[in-house]
Structure formats: structure tokens, C-alpha cells
Amino acid sequence: MNFGFRAPNQGPNATPDRLTTLVKRGEELGFGIVTVSDHIVMPKSIDSTYPYSETGASRGGSETMEMLTILSYLAAVTSKIKLLTSVMVVPHRPAVLTAKALSTIDVLSKGRVIVGCGAGWMREEFEAIEAHEFDRRGAVTNEYIRAFKELWTSDDPTFDGEFIKFSKIHFEPKPVQKPHPPIWIGGESNVALRRVARLGDAWYPIGMNPTYPVGTVAQMSESLSRIRAFAEEAGRDPAEICVSYNVTWNND
């Protein structure tokens, strides 16, 4: 069993010296994973409902550093700990550029990247950064993950989708991990669970907190049953899919 902790990308501890001290000490203590959350901008007015709080309000501040840049920094100051995007909002960044950044970090870290993926929840942030239409974010996420896999595994990557197309390109270097870095899918909706079953190596829910959508043992069990059914429907062996709980608590 691996235990992880979050590296802050906002607030007083999100400085080079404090990030370095925190993550190096965590690695020395035997933690297996460090996570970084994902926001590019924080809109001044947010009406979207944050799905992981009782009030629906996000606790995020106005300042936030970019996730993939932090992971690259952490790769340089550590040697063993896994580097997890927790979770990357897949539609926020161009697919080919994102695949290249993740592949580069995997090479620089000697194979320590875990790609936690989600479709996102904040409409206002999608609009602010001119990402794909918010209401199509699930379809975009699915297609981008398929494009990542094509870029990471094919010697002649080609993709002809609704949101991304590429062909006749070199995509090197490939990630160190084969066939590609593990893909952990966040989310608890039926759409997310289907994404786990069809595209993921692991389900990565926020779990074991009764205020969250799958916070009880019974809810977790029911969701796992749905993943198994969706995997069988997609022709996958459910045993191929792991579960990694994202357990959080409030220290206020």
C-alpha cells in the first residue's frame, strides 16, 4: 500500500524552498506519491458547484501555480516518489502539448509520472481560458486520453477525432513507462465510471468521507460493481483496473 500527500500550488507553502523541503522530507519518510492539483486561473466570480464540499463552494484562493510546471520542478528535487496529477483537468490544455509535457516529465523523472485525469467542474474557468465548450468536456476528455495513448505508444501516431487530429508527425521521446504512464480516472458519476472501465488503469475517487458522493463503504461497493459491469461491457477484464482512494480531511 502506498500513501501520498499533496504538494501545495497556492498559499504560503507554495514557494520553491518550502516545496522542496516538504517533498524531500515526505520522500525520506517513505511516502510513495506526491500529488498536485490543477487550476490555471481562478475566476473572481464562481457560480459553479464544487462537488466535494457540503456547501458547494470551493476553498481555492486567487493565486495558483501551474500543475505540470510544479511536477517538473518536483521531479528535479526528488528521486523515488511518484508524481501524480490530482487531477489534471484534461480539456484545459491542447492534447498534443499535454502529452508531450507529461512524456517529458516521465523521462526527466525516470518513469515516475501518474496521470490522474478528470473532466473538470468549473464552467467559469473553462470560459476564461477559452477551453472547449464546458458541456462537451466529457467527450473531449475521452478523446484526449485516447490521443495521449496513441502519441505515447505508436511509432507513427495518427488520430482523427472530433476535437483533435494529427498525422505524419514524430513524437519523441516516448515516456519511460511502458506502454505509457498509468492513467487514473477521477470522478464518481456514471460517465466517469464508464471512463474508468474503458480508458483507465485505476479509479481515483475521493472516498471514505461521508460528505462526499462515494464516501461510505456501501457507496464504494456499488460504484465498483458498476465499473465491473462497464468493463465487461467494453470487453475488458475488470481485474485490470485498480482502485486508489483519494482521502481528504479538513484541518480548519
Side-chain angles (χ1 to χ4, degrees):
M1 179 180 291
N2 272 327
F3 289 89
F5 62 94
R6 186 173 73 88
N9 58 352
Q10 57 181 244
N13 289 321
T15 66
D17 290 345
R18 291 186 177 185
L19 276 169
T20 299
T21 299
L22 173 66
V23 178
K24 281 189 169 183
R25 184 58 177 154
E27 188 173 64
E28 290 169 1
L29 290 171
F31 283 91
I33 297 172
V34 59
T35 75
V36 181
S37 60
D38 189 16
H39 283 293
I40 294 176
V41 299
M42 294 301 293
K44 292 183 177 180
S45 177
I46 301 172
D47 293 324
S48 298
T49 299
Y50 180 59
Y52 300 116
S53 73
E54 294 183 68
T55 65
S58 170
R59 297 189 185 126
S62 60
E63 174 188 297
T64 183
M65 294 197 292
E66 199 277 325
M67 176 187 65
L68 297 180
T69 308
I70 292 179
L71 282 185
S72 185
Y73 178 81
L74 298 182
V77 299
T78 58
S79 60
K80 298 181 294 185
I81 200 165
K82 297 286 188 179
L83 309 167
L84 169 60
T85 60
S86 180
V87 292
M88 179 176 67
V89 182
V90 175
H92 276 183
R93 300 169 180 81
V96 177
L97 177 61
T98 304
K100 172 61 76 169
L102 290 165
S103 182
T104 300
I105 298 169
D106 200 56
V107 170
L108 293 174
S109 68
K110 300 180 181 179
R112 291 187 282 134
V113 169
I114 303 172
V115 186
C117 295
W121 62 273
M122 192 192 299
R123 181 185 294 272
E124 293 84 356
E125 187 173 14
F126 272 68
E127 293 172 351
I129 64 175
E130 299 184 320
H132 282 285
E133 184 183 353
F134 180 78
D135 292 333
R136 301 296 313 280
R137 67 194 186 281
V140 174
T141 298
N142 293 343
E143 190 168 290
Y144 276 23
I145 293 172
R146 292 188 177 99
F148 295 164
K149 292 183 178 183
E150 174 70 9
L151 290 162
W152 289 336
T153 62
S154 175
D155 292 332
D156 183 22
T158 302
F159 198 89
D160 185 15
E162 180 181 357
F163 307 103
I164 178 70
K165 303 177 189 292
F166 51 79
S167 63
K168 299 179 181 178
I169 59 172
H170 294 290
F171 187 92
E172 301 291 343
K174 303 293 189 194
V176 170
Q177 298 177 86
K178 303 302 178 189
H180 53 71
I183 294 174
W184 292 9
I185 305 295
E188 294 81 30
S189 67
N190 261 341
V191 172
L193 298 183
R194 285 185 185 275
R195 185 175 299 122
V196 175
R198 295 174 179 176
L199 299 171
D201 299 302
W203 181 38
Y204 184 46
I206 292 188
M208 308 318 292
N209 182 326
T211 66
Y212 291 161
V214 290
T216 67
V217 172
Q219 288 170 322
M220 281 284 182
S221 178
E222 197 275 330
S223 294
L224 290 171
S225 294
R226 280 186 283 159
I227 290 173
R228 284 192 291 270
F230 291 146
E232 290 168 355
E233 179 183 282
R236 289 189 68 188
D237 181 355
E240 297 175 359
I241 302 169
C242 301
V243 178
S244 179
Y245 294 124
N246 180 358
V247 182
T248 64
W249 58 89
N250 184 2
N251 291 326
D252 292 347

